[in-house]
């Protein structure tokens, strides 16, 4: 852990997760200029679905950090957790909504009604039957599910019970993977789609790994954790190989659905168990929420501007590596500003508010 109290290796993981997502999105859009879809900068992230891989790394990180942040007396612990999570997620998210509306809708002659705009403020708009203004918003809904589950488990004093957390992973991951490998249909559990439940179970896998790092995992728990990691890291590739042998070919959709799981877990374990850190990467991790939310705002604007610039048609003939470097640089610069002036002040405000003692009416005041 660094001097600021942050896990620098976890920040590095955040940076990698954000960069994987940005890589795929930027490559998909800018490869259309000059028809560069055959470039490895496009084919590799698309084939391996870097977006899903990056999202899974983010989910593992949430599992590693969030359950451990719930502590103390029940009511006070929940109050602090709710305040800090609200100011961590919502202010920057709300800023991203009008920016997304302008850069991803209006610039491209797409229209969104006011109901969609209003319900997007909730972060659970898709569940309420309204379209996400940005395709990235669906992952925030999963985060909220996980926060609510952790808060409920904390209130019931179940969050620190090893068997409960292991059970959440054991019950969900194998069942979901078997359904996917076998071509079965998704199921619903408490109205949450099966793929969302699988993501939540990956978060709990991150929580189990945190217990292992902290030395709070029993010997049987370590064995189960090892088996789960082997299932994800080796079982899925083996299943894909078996699938290709039986059916002679494995569809790109099956690969994109399953292969990100072992890749994400492998990256996560490498950084967590080896304690890898690099200050520039850790800094990118600090602004990773801004990178994740705001990067479409930047690259869609740049892409629109290039298409509209008839006087400089040469801008549409550059190589994909040039586009990637330039767009990444602009995204990082823009997101450093949104972090500095929006995200960081709101996080600090949430921390200050959470430290204030909860007002409790005194008996003599009630009597008066």
């Amino acid at each position: 852990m660094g001097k600021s109290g942050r896990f620098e290796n976890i920040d590095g993981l955040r940076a990698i997760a954000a960069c994987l997502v940005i890589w795929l999105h930027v490559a998909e859009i800018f490869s259309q200029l000059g028809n560069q879809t055959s470039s490895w900068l496009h084919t590799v992230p698309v084939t391996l679905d870097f977006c899903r891989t990056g999202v899974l790394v983010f989910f593992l990180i949430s599992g590693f950090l969030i359950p451990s942040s719930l502590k103390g007396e029940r009511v006070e612990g929940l109050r602090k957790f709710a305040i800090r999570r609200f100011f961590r997620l919502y202010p920057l998210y709300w800023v991203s909504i009008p920016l997304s509306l302008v850069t991803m809708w209006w610039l491209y002659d797409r229209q969104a009604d006011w109901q969609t705009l209003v319900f997007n403020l909730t972060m659970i708009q898709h569940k309420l039957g309204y379209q996400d203004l940005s395709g990235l918003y669906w992952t925030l809904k999963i985060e909220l599910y996980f926060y609510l589950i952790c808060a409920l488990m904390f209130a019931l004093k179940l969050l620190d019970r090893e068997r409960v957390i292991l059970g959440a992973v054991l019950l969900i991951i194998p069942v979901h993977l078997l359904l996917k490998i076998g071509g079965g249909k998704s199921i619903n559990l408490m109205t949450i789609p099966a793929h969302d439940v699988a993501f939540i179970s990956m978060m709990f896998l991150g929580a189990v790994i945190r217990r292992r790092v902290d030395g709070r995992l029993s010997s049987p728990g370590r064995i189960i954790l090892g088996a789960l990691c082997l299932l994800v890291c080796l079982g899925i590739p083996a299943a894909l190989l078996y699938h290709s042998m039986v059916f002679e070919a494995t569809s790109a959709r099956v690969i994109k659905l399953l292969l990100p799981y072992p890749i994400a877990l492998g990256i996560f374990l490498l950084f967590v168990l080896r304690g890898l850190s690099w200050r520039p990467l850790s800094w990118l991790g600090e602004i990773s929420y801004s990178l994740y939310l705001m990067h479409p705002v930047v690259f869609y604007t740049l892409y629109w501007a290039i298409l509209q610039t008839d006087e400089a048609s040469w801008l549409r003939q550059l190589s994909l590596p040039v586009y990637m470097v330039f767009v990444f640089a602009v995204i990082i610069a823009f997101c450093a500003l949104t972090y500095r002036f929006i995200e960081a002040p709101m996080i600090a405000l949430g921390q200050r508010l959470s430290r204030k003692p909860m007002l409790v009416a005194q008996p003599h005041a009630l009597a008066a």
Side-chain angles (χ1 to χ4, degrees), residues 226-247:
L228 284 169
C229 290
L230 286 175
L231 171 66
V232 175
C233 291
L234 299 180
I236 292 178
L240 288 174
L241 179 61
Y242 172 78
H243 191 279
S244 64
M245 293 173 63
V246 171
F247 298 100

Side-chain angles (χ1 to χ4, degrees), residues 29-289:
I29 294 297
F30 282 85
S31 64
Q32 299 175 39
L33 297 176
N35 191 24
Q36 303 180 73
T37 56
S38 60
S39 170
W40 69 270
L41 284 171
H42 175 261
T43 57
V44 171
V46 169
T47 302
L48 300 180
D49 198 345
F50 277 9
C51 186
R52 183 178 292 263
T53 302
V55 166
L56 285 169
V57 173
F58 274 128
F59 288 159
L60 286 164
I61 292 170
S62 291
F64 189 85
L65 297 176
I66 296 302
S68 299
S69 68
L70 273 159
K71 50 191 173 184
E73 189 272 331
R74 184 184 303 174
V75 175
E76 183 65 13
L78 289 173
R79 184 186 73 88
K80 288 184 176 181
F81 178 75
I83 292 173
R84 293 185 178 187
R85 287 296 95 194
F86 175 85
F87 282 94
R88 180 71 178 90
L89 290 184
Y90 274 95
L92 185 68
Y93 171 74
W94 284 337
V95 171
S96 76
I97 288 175
L99 294 178
S100 297
L101 187 64
V102 171
T103 59
M104 301 168 64
W105 290 71
W106 292 348
L107 286 183
Y108 292 89
D109 296 324
R110 300 170 62 202
Q111 299 298 321
D113 55 51
W114 68 268
Q115 294 100 326
T116 299
L117 178 61
V118 170
F119 277 96
N120 265 258
L121 297 173
T122 66
M123 206 178 281
I124 58 170
Q125 57 278 352
H126 189 72
K127 197 67 181 174
L128 300 174
Y130 292 88
Q131 185 177 359
D132 293 326
L133 288 176
S134 172
L136 297 169
Y137 289 168
W138 70 270
T139 62
L140 303 179
K141 172 193 66 177
I142 309 297
E143 289 283 340
L144 287 183
Y145 286 158
F146 185 62
Y147 294 169
L148 291 173
I149 292 170
C150 287
L152 178 61
M153 292 174 65
F154 177 76
L156 297 175
K157 298 184 178 181
L158 298 174
L159 192 57
D160 200 43
R161 293 191 181 182
E162 179 180 305
R163 292 181 181 180
V164 175
I165 297 177
L166 281 170
V169 186
L170 284 168
L171 177 65
I172 299 168
I173 285 186
V175 172
H176 175 73
L177 293 180
L178 287 173
L179 282 171
K180 288 298 184 184
I181 293 169
K185 296 181 178 179
S186 293
I187 58 174
N188 284 339
L189 181 62
M190 297 185 300
T191 73
I192 302 176
H195 54 78
D196 290 354
V197 175
F199 293 143
I200 293 172
S201 70
M202 288 292 284
M203 292 174 166
F204 279 112
L205 182 58
V208 176
I209 295 171
R210 174 63 181 270
R211 294 181 68 92
R212 173 67 179 87
V213 171
D214 291 346
R216 298 186 297 118
L217 195 62
S218 66
S219 296
R222 293 180 184 183
I223 295 173
I224 294 173
L225 174 60
L228 284 169
C229 290
L230 286 175
L231 171 66
V232 175
C233 291
L234 299 180
I236 292 178
L240 288 174
L241 179 61
Y242 172 78
H243 191 279
S244 64
M245 293 173 63
V246 171
F247 298 100
E248 296 184 356
T250 301
S251 69
R253 181 176 180 274
V254 173
I255 293 175
K256 293 176 70 172
L257 279 173
L258 294 179
L259 206 53
Y261 283 87
I263 296 174
L265 183 57
I267 294 172
F268 183 79
L269 291 174
L270 180 65
F271 271 73
V272 170
L273 299 183
R274 299 293 298 176
L276 299 181
S277 65
W278 183 41
R279 183 53 197 159
L281 203 60
S282 298
W283 176 78
L284 279 179
E286 291 182 34
I287 67 171
S288 60
Y289 187 47

Side-chain angles (χ1 to χ4, degrees), residues 20 22-28 31 36-47 50 319-325 328:
L20 287 173
I22 295 170
W23 182 350
L24 174 59
H25 289 161
V26 174
E28 281 187 318
S31 64
Q36 303 180 73
T37 56
S38 60
S39 170
W40 69 270
L41 284 171
H42 175 261
T43 57
V44 171
V46 169
T47 302
F50 277 9
S319 65
L320 186 56
V322 173
Y323 289 128
M324 295 288 289
V325 171
F328 257 90

Side-chain angles (χ1 to χ4, degrees), residues 295-316:
H295 77 269
V297 169
V298 176
F299 77 72
Y300 273 114
T301 302
L302 291 174
Y303 185 71
W304 176 85
I306 290 173
L307 291 180
Q308 298 299 314
T309 309
D310 293 331
E311 296 80 7
S313 59
W314 59 271
L315 287 173
R316 296 193 288 273

